[in-house]
Amino acid sequence: MTPRAGKAFRKSAQTEDLAVTHRHAAGIDVHSREHFVAVAAEDVPAGFIKAEDKLPAGVRKFGTNTGDLEAIAAWLKDCGVTTVAMESTGVYWIPLYDLLASQGFEVLLVDPRQTKHAPGRPKTDVVDCQWIRRLHSYGLLTGSFRPGDEIIRWRGLQRQREMLIRYAAMHIQHMQKVLEEMNVKLTEVVSDIVGQTGMKIIKDIVRGERDPLKLAKHRHASCKRTEGEIASALYGNWRSELLFALKQALKLYEFYQKQLRECEGQIEECLRSLKDKSDGRPLPANLRKRKPEKNEVRFGARELLFRMSGVDLTQIEAISETTALVILSELGTDLSAFAHEKNFVSWLGLCPQHRSSGGKIFKRRIRRGANRVARALRMAAQGCHHAKNALGAFYRRIQSRAGGAKAIVATARKIAERVYRMLKYGQEYARQSEETYAKAYQQRLHKSLAKKAASLGYKLVPETMTP
């Protein structure tokens, strides 16, 4: 694959020779049981006595308890450090990061890939922290994106809610398995066993009811199957051990539903405590006509999200209240860390990474990662397959040319760019119909073909209708 003709590749700006940009910098290699901290040897206070002679000048080893973290902050202050870069995996960095940030240090959480690809990287923890400090002092490291404290609190609650939903889903599967082992074909006659009809039938079975005709009386009016069809599917073997397993699975599901409601109450309280950025503007009209989602929050999330962000992300065709909750809880409203929407899309991993050499591109695969926002946007893009709007038309055009997988990524990128513009600039979202998009695409295609024909010495003339 070769690059497209006329493509403007970005060129790096002319810079001076490598120089120290962060004079008073420190590097920390974070672990679960100990932290290695490195500062410049000349920044070590005079008269300092090293606790371990094996460690080089400017390097100290600390524990990971709260007292040890406070000792790290005190040591850095004694050394005159102003900025700190730390490398870590897992969640071991969070307590130290929060403590240092609260005491006025500029803290950068560095992706290990930044230091791994630099030549000459050492392999020991003692020298690794010195390597991190050295790279940071030259300004060669960039910190990971981390929103403000209020958004972090909301994000923790939102992630807790997602975890509770996953745990509850496990017990739904457990109930389905037990019902199949009893040969009770409830899953074949109702679309959702934890819906109104399914839950009433399961609760009656657990209470001791065995008559299929009485159980089928719980049929909701909107069920597609008749009462007789439901009753015929509810004859089972009623083994005692299976009934006990069904009872426990039901109790566990109801317990997680209770925990989910408590978590949603905390999320609602957190959203109400955030600053109002709507400037008194009314909430835009809801143009989406759809059924409520299965795991949708039980409070007016759309109004609260508009209040805290000043924009209504649900105006974008593919974004629901649940998707908007995930996006804003992970990003917040301040996207100043991303200078351009291309930087934002690259951080999400929704653009291809060109592996090229000598003008030839070998790979264009996207970067792998577990970005929650990107995952939510991909899920939103999947819903555009049959959508009668501009995003749906774009999805189907890419799908016909490159396949469904690439169409999902391309559509997710389109949605991400719209989210960026709305949050960064406060722009109102202008909906585009499928017909308008198709007409604009035909115009672009006609212009491109005319330009290509002119470059070959031809003139593109529209076909005339014969009488």
Side-chain angles (χ1 to χ4, degrees):
M1 301 175 70
T2 57
R4 288 176 287 181
K7 183 174 178 63
F9 289 96
R10 288 180 292 177
K11 298 180 180 179
S12 58
Q14 296 293 330
T15 57
E16 299 179 356
D17 293 337
L18 195 64
V20 174
T21 58
H22 301 296
R23 170 63 184 80
H24 302 287
I28 304 179
D29 192 17
V30 177
H31 296 277
S32 60
R33 296 184 178 181
E34 55 191 15
H35 300 325
F36 291 90
V37 183
V39 299
E42 56 270 19
D43 289 342
V44 178
F48 170 72
I49 300 175
K50 292 193 298 183
E52 299 184 30
D53 295 333
K54 295 182 180 180
L55 295 178
V59 177
R60 288 190 64 183
K61 182 173 70 174
F62 294 88
T64 57
N65 297 328
T66 303
D68 299 317
L69 303 186
E70 293 175 350
I72 293 176
W75 164 251
L76 294 177
K77 287 182 178 178
D78 292 341
C79 296
V81 171
T82 57
T83 177
V84 180
M86 60 174 62
E87 179 187 282
S88 173
T89 56
V91 296
Y92 306 120
W93 58 272
I94 296 178
L96 180 58
Y97 184 103
D98 292 339
L99 177 65
L100 294 179
S102 64
Q103 297 199 17
F105 292 97
E106 179 190 4
V107 189
L108 276 72
L109 177 64
V110 178
D111 191 332
R113 286 176 293 188
Q114 295 188 47
T115 58
K116 180 178 70 173
H117 293 306
R121 182 176 185 264
K123 300 299 181 182
T124 63
D125 296 330
V126 175
V127 193
D128 196 13
C129 61
Q130 294 178 289
W131 181 248
I132 297 171
R133 187 207 68 80
R134 183 181 178 186
L135 293 177
H136 184 40
S137 65
Y138 289 128
L140 299 177
L141 301 179
T142 56
S144 301
F145 173 74
R146 185 170 170 84
D149 290 338
E150 292 180 338
I151 302 300
I152 289 175
R153 180 196 168 205
W154 173 23
R155 185 180 68 179
L157 294 171
Q158 184 68 26
R159 291 181 178 181
Q160 173 71 10
R161 180 180 180 274
E162 294 174 4
M163 184 185 69
L164 292 173
I165 291 174
R166 289 197 302 269
Y167 288 169
M170 292 172 58
H171 298 294
I172 295 175
Q173 294 172 341
H174 189 191
M175 287 189 287
Q176 290 174 336
K177 176 176 178 292
V178 173
L179 289 171
E180 289 296 332
E181 289 179 344
M182 290 191 298
N183 202 36
V184 176
K185 298 295 184 178
L186 183 61
T187 56
E188 278 74 18
V189 292
V190 297
S191 59
D192 185 9
I193 66 169
V194 293
Q196 293 187 31
T197 302
M199 284 300 290
K200 289 179 180 179
I201 291 175
I202 292 175
K203 287 180 180 180
D204 257 14
I205 292 175
V206 170
R207 293 190 192 104
E209 184 61 59
R210 302 290 180 265
D211 188 355
L213 298 177
K214 292 183 179 179
L215 293 173
K217 295 291 183 182
H218 294 301
R219 174 188 176 273
H220 192 268
S222 62
C223 283
K224 295 182 179 179
R225 298 299 184 98
T226 64
E227 191 173 313
E229 290 174 328
I230 294 176
S232 64
L234 298 181
Y235 288 90
N237 52 41
W238 313 117
R239 294 177 63 92
S240 59
E241 70 276 12
L242 298 178
L243 289 169
F244 177 75
L246 180 64
K247 180 181 179 180
Q248 287 206 325
L250 176 62
K251 285 186 176 180
L252 287 169
Y253 172 77
E254 291 178 331
F255 171 76
Y256 281 115
Q257 290 299 307
K258 179 182 177 182
Q259 298 295 104
L260 191 60
R261 288 191 293 271
E262 292 181 6
C263 184
E264 289 178 355
Q266 291 290 317
I267 293 174
E268 182 180 7
E269 179 184 344
C270 182
L271 286 174
R272 293 188 183 279
S273 65
L274 295 175
K275 183 180 177 182
D276 188 357
K277 296 183 179 180
S278 62
D279 298 328
R281 291 176 291 130
L283 179 67
N286 189 4
L287 302 177
R288 300 183 54 151
K289 295 181 180 179
R290 59 174 182 81
K291 295 180 180 179
E293 295 181 1
K294 182 178 179 181
N295 293 316
E296 200 169 80
V297 293
R298 299 172 178 86
F299 60 89
R302 180 169 170 263
E303 181 179 356
L304 293 177
L305 292 176
F306 174 74
R307 178 180 175 273
M308 59 82 58
S309 64
V311 294
D312 184 13
L313 293 183
T314 61
Q315 293 293 305
I316 303 175
E317 293 90 339
I319 294 184
S320 63
E321 286 187 6
T322 304
T323 306
L325 273 169
V326 175
I327 293 173
L328 290 174
S329 65
E330 294 290 331
L331 297 174
T333 58
D334 183 14
L335 298 185
S336 58
F338 307 102
H340 194 269
E341 61 189 33
K342 292 184 178 180
N343 302 114
F344 179 62
V345 172
S346 176
W347 176 76
L348 292 173
L350 295 177
C351 62
Q353 286 185 318
H354 287 185
R355 307 292 182 182
S356 61
S357 178
K360 182 178 180 181
I361 297 177
F362 298 100
K363 290 184 180 179
R364 276 179 173 165
R365 294 182 179 178
I366 60 174
R367 174 174 55 83
R368 294 182 178 180
N371 192 298
R372 295 171 186 263
V373 179
R375 184 173 58 191
L377 292 174
R378 287 193 184 97
M379 293 293 292
Q382 285 182 342
C384 296
H385 185 268
H386 298 291
K388 302 301 182 182
N389 50 48
L391 284 175
F394 174 79
Y395 179 97
R396 290 185 288 274
R397 181 171 69 85
I398 300 299
Q399 183 189 33
S400 64
R401 176 171 59 85
K406 292 186 178 179
I408 290 175
V409 176
T411 308
R413 172 174 178 160
K414 285 281 186 183
I415 301 172
E417 291 173 345
R418 286 155 172 75
V419 170
Y420 178 88
R421 296 187 196 112
M422 293 181 71
L423 292 177
K424 184 73 176 288
Y425 308 112
Q427 295 180 353
E428 295 292 335
Y429 182 67
R431 287 174 175 260
Q432 188 181 26
S433 65
E434 183 179 6
E435 294 76 13
T436 305
Y437 173 82
K439 184 178 180 180
Y441 175 68
Q442 289 295 330
Q443 290 176 352
R444 293 196 305 270
L445 186 61
H446 180 272
K447 184 178 179 180
S448 175
L449 289 174
K451 184 177 179 180
K452 191 173 185 66
S455 66
L456 297 174
Y458 296 94
K459 183 179 180 181
L460 193 65
V461 179
E463 182 181 6
T464 58
M465 298 294 294
T466 58

